Amino acid sequence: MKFSEQWLREWVNPAIDSNELSEQLSMAGLEVDGVEPVAADFHTVVVGEVVECGPHPDADKLQVTKVDTNDGELLDIVCGAPNCRQGLKVVVAKVGAVLPGDFKIKKAKLRGQPSHGMLCSFKELGLIDDHEGIIELPADAPVGKDYREYLGLDDNSIDIDLTPNRGDCLSIRGIAREVGVLNRMDVKQPQISAVEASISDQKAITLAAPEQCPRYLGRVIKGIDVSRPTPIWMSEKLRRSGIRSIDPVVDVTNYVLLELGHPMHAFDLDTLQGDITVRLAAKQEKLTLLDGEEVTLDDDVLVIADEQKALAMAGVYGGKDSGVTLDSKNIFLESAFFAPDAILGKARRYGLHTDASHRYERGVDPQLQRTAMERATELLLAICGGEAGPITEAVSEQHLPARASVTLRSSRLAKVLGVQIADNEVTEILQRLGLEVSFANGAWQVQVPSYRFDIAIEEDLIEEVARVYGYNAIQAAAPAAQLRMTDRKEAQISRHTLVNALVERGYQEAITYSFVDPKHQAMLFNEAAALTLPHPISIEMSSMRVSLWPGLAGAVAHNQKRQQAVLAFVETGLRFIPDEKAENGVRQEPVLGGIRAGKAHVEHWSEGDRAIDFYDVKGDVEALLEKTGEAHLFRFVADQHDALHPGQSAAIYKGERKVGFIGALHPQHEKALGLNQRAFVFEIELDAIAVRRIPVAQPISRYPSIRRDLALVLDESIAAGEVLAELENVGVKQLVGLNLFDVYQGENLPAGKRSLALSITLQDTDKTLEEAEVNELMDRFVSKLKDEFNATLRD
């Protein structure tokens, strides 16, 4: 939004300079992008009157003039402008004047005729680029008056960058309200009175799309003279706001747009066929715009139409066939409220951007239409003459925006701002903003005016109070914190600790999507129900994961395609299991999962070139379980899983509860998942390993330990882990070490049998164990294994 500082000061004039005004606006949220003078530097330029004007005797395109500048004698000036004529009030650069570009005016002779000055155009004064002749001033311009002073050119154009929610400040009226609030000053608004109808002509209006256009006003004005010049005060205000003067009708609508913030449009009445309808465009309906481009309208585009055709894209751009020209005598003036959603994006869709669409997209005051119509009518009749008919209004009250009522709590205000503002000061701020306020029981009840459509919730009011109170007035305070020990359970193992246990073993932490390919998931878990997203990002991400494995397998495949030979990933996250008993029908279970593929080690002279196997991954999981301090409670039991190789898969149990799985991905799934090497995976419920046993201090035995070895023969189907677990359950307190150090199967053993060699370490805390005691303990171990597994000692 660009505007003239002088124009703003006609509404409200605080005793601050331009820099202070810009700073004040910026700190209030209306960021000032730039401040530029409205005219280049020049001097000794005055208002003059052409007293005589005749042709140059030696040049067809030059005229010889005598100009009165109220200096006691007439100036001889040669002029080449075609619009120079006797009696014209002009702008004269006298001898000694300096124009923009350091152009100095001196006495001269042009084709033998003396010239003591120059009659200036707008371009020569650096005001606008157009050069259509010399400047024509109104007949009442005072001869001899300094032109800068006469036109008030010691002015600035201020350009502010508004956030999309502050559409109410896209006008002089809105900015003046803000400046008045910030400086505790009243705003002097122009007196706008209703224009009485002098003719009865009118057009009926039908709202065929009331949701998109709940209010539309129209007025017939006849007998205007569009050839009359726009007053210089109006064209100058438009120029300083970045808008070029075109003709009085367009200039008046643009002036009201800048002054009140309400877009308007005028149609040539004589081109309209029948009454007016505000409707959505018909399918494939065409419209020729004012710039001559023909567009095909979509059926969600709002149009203003007569009984035969569309006249304009509502709130965006007018149509050429109904546009006002210099030959127009009668017009139909519109003033409407269009819902922001109805206009939003339409201009961009057709490669357009207009001041009207810019405002309608952000919202205009739904109660401003009649005021804007009266203001525009008053200005048009004063400039172009003519007679106005009555205002015709069509309105759908139920579709107009309702005024918001918002509660602001004093406690909430103090908490958010970090400063206590006196209640009466807050009340004053809200009232100065134009809000209807009542205060009771520590809260303000605020009725929001129609033009502040950006205020809807309590935080909006807090922002308003803060920016008017002044962000600089809110003192910065260092946060104060009381040092105290945090409540932390020593037995709790953090997710970070568990992940780091694997990172230290060469894993990298991965984060994959919770959405997976339903085909891959169904392949790995063909009996598991899964949740399907109604609006997925893509078909490959349309199912909620029931395991971390699909995402981890995808990460491995991605890296294998990039020639990575050693791959190990760990991830913690949620899996989503459909469960009617759970909240929202889904049970969210936190799990930790991992995958390894490729080589066991990076290439090195001291390491063999060995591929990952089941026991590498099992060792990783066991290292993870050691973090609980209760690894003996966990066991690996051979089990089947749809995703895993039948001979290389095991369930992980904690006591009698199955808490996870480990194994090699089934070879038939590798190609579908994009894997080119064997991959081994595991997954375990986080809550099963999130608590550790607190260590208990015990005295170290001063007595020697004794090691005995057992070589047992038993069925090959019996897992070694079961044997070790059974020995630990014997209940011998002297057992301090137990290890499987050899497995043998072959000669000297019956078919279906194998030998397990175990080392057993015994130690007592109170005494040295005697031979007889050790033998008794070993007999108990052997007897237990014989009873449970039919194990025998190997010869």
Side-chain angles (χ1 to χ4, degrees), residues 1-2 7 170-173 237-238 241-243 253-262 355 359:
M1 170 70 184
K2 192 175 183 180
W7 193 4
L170 286 168
S171 65
I172 293 293
R173 183 191 197 189
K237 286 180 176 178
L238 295 177
S241 301
I243 296 179
T253 56
N254 282 335
Y255 183 84
V256 173
L257 173 86
L258 293 173
E259 182 183 57
L260 302 180
H262 197 286
D355 290 325
R359 284 162 174 79

Side-chain angles (χ1 to χ4, degrees), residues 727-736 762 777 780-781:
L727 288 175
E728 290 177 345
N729 290 333
V730 172
V732 176
K733 68 176 183 177
Q734 293 88 352
L735 179 63
V736 296
L762 302 171
L777 293 174
R780 289 175 60 184
F781 290 142

Side-chain angles (χ1 to χ4, degrees), residues 305-337:
D306 60 18
E307 295 177 0
Q308 300 297 323
K309 61 187 179 301
L311 305 173
M313 291 175 63
V316 179
Y317 218 68
K320 183 177 182 180
D321 296 336
S322 60
V324 175
T325 67
L326 292 177
D327 298 325
S328 299
K329 301 297 181 184
N330 309 306
I331 65 171
F332 178 76
L333 193 63
E334 74 163 16
S335 177
F337 172 75

Side-chain angles (χ1 to χ4, degrees), residues 68-118:
D68 180 14
T69 58
N70 202 27
D71 287 332
E73 61 180 24
L74 302 179
L75 299 179
D76 293 319
I77 298 177
V78 177
C79 177
N83 63 326
C84 183
R85 59 189 182 275
Q86 184 178 354
L88 182 66
K89 294 289 182 69
V90 292
V91 179
V92 183
K94 299 192 294 185
V95 173
V98 178
L99 303 186
D102 198 30
F103 181 66
K104 299 177 181 178
I105 304 299
K106 302 177 182 179
K107 291 182 179 181
K109 281 190 177 183
L110 296 176
R111 296 289 183 92
Q113 296 295 320
S115 184
H116 300 162
M118 185 175 74

Side-chain angles (χ1 to χ4, degrees), residues 556-557 560-561 564 567 670-671 673-678:
V556 168
Q560 284 180 341
K561 292 174 183 176
Q564 299 300 307
L567 296 168
E670 292 174 359
K671 184 176 180 181
L673 293 172
L675 302 173
N676 56 33
Q677 291 176 308
R678 296 294 305 278

Side-chain angles (χ1 to χ4, degrees), residues 420-440:
Q420 189 71 44
I421 304 176
D423 293 342
N424 59 345
E425 187 172 358
V426 174
T427 301
E428 182 192 0
I429 289 173
L430 296 175
Q431 289 174 340
R432 293 208 318 269
L433 285 166
L435 312 178
E436 298 176 15
V437 184
S438 61
F439 180 75

